[in-house]
Amino acid sequence: MSNKMWDALLEHAKTCVLSGKLYVYYPDNSRNVGAVFNNIFELNGLISEEQYYAANSLSDEQKVGLIMHSPFLFFF
């Protein structure tokens, strides 16, 4: 997918009505760390050791750690 097509897709997704539903993705069966997304797959937060952390409260290092721990998480 070209950058132009990706940008158009993102802009369209931002115009969608959010349902209020949240989805949790756990990269493994241990369920120690999970990523929380809204219905347009925008990162909403992180669950770690049964504690919720809002996306805007995560440091850049924590966000990078999440990506490094589960890089396939962002390519579905």
Side-chain angles (χ1 to χ4, degrees):
M1 179 180 289
S2 71
N3 286 342
K4 186 176 180 180
M5 288 176 64
W6 181 253
D7 290 340
L9 178 71
L10 289 177
E11 287 305 311
H12 171 72
K14 291 177 184 178
T15 66
C16 295
V17 176
L18 299 179
S19 68
K21 282 188 174 183
L22 296 176
Y23 302 89
V24 180
Y25 175 80
Y26 293 102
D28 57 32
N29 289 331
S30 69
R31 295 188 173 223
N32 289 328
V33 177
V36 181
F37 296 95
N38 62 17
N39 64 313
I40 61 168
F41 297 105
E42 183 177 55
L43 181 66
N44 193 281
L46 171 69
I47 295 175
S48 179
E49 303 293 329
E50 299 182 13
Q51 179 91 17
Y52 175 78
Y53 301 94
N56 59 4
S57 72
L58 298 174
S59 69
D60 289 340
E61 290 81 18
Q62 288 170 312
K63 291 175 187 173
V64 168
L66 178 62
I67 294 169
M68 296 303 288
H69 178 52
S70 303
F72 58 91
L73 178 75
F74 300 95
F75 300 102
F76 39 83

